[in-house]
Amino acid sequence: MLVIVLENAPPRLRGRLAIWLLEIRAGVYAGNYSAKVRDHIWSHANRESKTAMR
C-alpha cells in the first residue's frame, strides 16, 4: 500500500497523483500497486516536489 501526504504541493502534482491514487482527504492519497508502479509514482512525486521548490 502506498500513502502520500502533501502540504503546499503544486496543483500539477496533486492532479497527477489524483489520476493514479485515491484522494481520501485533501492532500492525502492512497493506493495499492505493485512495487514497480509504486516506485514510479514515488519518483514522479519526488521529482515534481523538488521542481516546485525552485
Side-chain angles (χ1 to χ4, degrees):
M1 170 154 275
L2 174 66
V3 177
I4 298 178
V5 179
L6 301 175
E7 290 182 5
N8 299 324
R12 177 180 173 173
L13 176 57
R14 293 179 63 122
R16 182 62 70 177
L17 288 176
I19 290 171
W20 292 322
L21 303 168
L22 179 64
E23 187 173 14
I24 55 177
R25 227 178 159 170
V28 180
Y29 300 87
N32 193 14
Y33 290 97
S34 67
K36 185 176 181 179
V37 175
R38 190 171 56 238
D39 289 342
H40 174 75
I41 293 171
W42 180 253
S43 67
H44 183 80
N46 197 16
R47 184 174 53 244
E48 286 292 322
S49 66
K50 287 181 182 176
T51 302
M53 296 178 86
R54 289 184 186 169

